[in-house]
Amino acid sequence: HMVSLHFELEFPEQAFPWTHIHSELLTSFKSQEPRPSKLQHDVSAALTRIGWNHSFEFETPEGLSLDMSQPETKTAIEVDGPSHFLIGNIVQRTENGRTKFKSRLLCQLGWTVFHVPYFEWNVLADAMVQESYLQIKLTNRYTIEEGQSTKTA
C-alpha cells in the first residue's frame, strides 16, 4: 500500500497497474493492529503533561498509522524504537528505509513529523527533563524532504 500511495503522490498523472487492487492493498495494510510500546505510552503521557493534546494511534485517511498526532494541524510525533534503525553502528544511528519512507509520505501529504528516538528518550533523567525535551522538539518544526531534515518555521 505504501508504494502505491507513493506513486499516486509522486506521479498523479500516471496510471499504474495495481490501481485496480488499491482497495485490497489498503485493507490488507490497515488490518495490522497497532501495538503501542511502553515508550509510546511514556511519550504520550509527557505530551499530555505539557498540554499538547493529541490523538494516540491515529490513522490518516490514507491508512498511515501515527503514534501521536494533532490531525487538525497535521502534526505527528513518531516514537522510534530500535526496530526503526539500521543494525550496526551505535554511534551514528541511521533510520531504516521503512521509517524514512513513511516520513516522506507523511510530509508529501502535508504532515509535519517529529521523531522521538528511543536512544534520546531513554537518557532523559526524569519527567521534567522529558517535558523540556518535548517542548524544545515541538518548538523547532522539522519536516523530512528527500530523507533530510529541513527547518520549516
Side-chain angles (χ1 to χ4, degrees):
H1 168 69
M2 288 175 60
V3 171
S4 174
L5 180 58
H6 164 71
F7 280 110
E8 285 178 30
L9 295 169
E10 286 286 325
F11 310 101
E13 67 287 343
Q14 298 289 323
F16 290 95
W18 52 79
T19 304
H20 67 287
I21 62 167
H22 179 77
S23 62
E24 289 89 355
L25 291 171
L26 180 59
T27 300
S28 175
F29 186 76
K30 290 169 76 172
S31 70
Q32 301 169 16
E33 286 293 318
R35 294 185 318 266
S37 66
K38 179 183 180 316
L39 177 61
Q40 282 175 260
H41 285 288
D42 291 348
V43 173
S44 178
L47 287 168
T48 300
R49 290 193 306 270
I50 65 169
W52 199 78
N53 298 322
H54 59 280
S55 297
F56 189 78
E57 289 294 340
F58 176 78
E59 185 178 287
T60 70
E62 298 79 16
L64 299 173
S65 177
L66 305 173
D67 295 339
M68 283 134 255
S69 68
Q70 289 183 335
E72 61 282 354
T73 62
K74 284 193 150 187
T75 305
I77 294 188
E78 288 289 280
V79 178
D80 298 336
S83 67
H84 290 262
F85 296 90
L86 298 176
I87 298 171
N89 188 349
I90 62 168
V91 175
Q92 182 181 357
R93 293 176 177 96
T94 303
E95 290 179 328
N96 65 27
R98 181 178 173 87
T99 300
K100 285 184 177 185
F101 190 51
K102 181 180 176 184
S103 293
R104 180 177 175 170
L105 287 175
L106 287 167
C107 287
Q108 286 176 306
L109 292 166
W111 287 83
T112 299
V113 180
F114 297 92
H115 291 271
V116 177
Y118 75 98
F119 51 86
E120 290 181 4
W121 186 262
N122 288 348
V123 298
L124 303 176
D126 57 35
M128 193 168 80
V129 177
Q130 292 170 347
E131 293 162 13
S132 295
Y133 168 89
L134 290 171
Q135 288 171 329
I136 291 167
K137 189 153 294 258
L138 291 168
T139 302
N140 298 314
R141 300 179 61 87
Y142 288 92
T143 58
I144 306 297
E145 293 181 0
E146 300 300 319
Q148 300 296 316
S149 295
T150 55
K151 196 166 188 173
T152 59

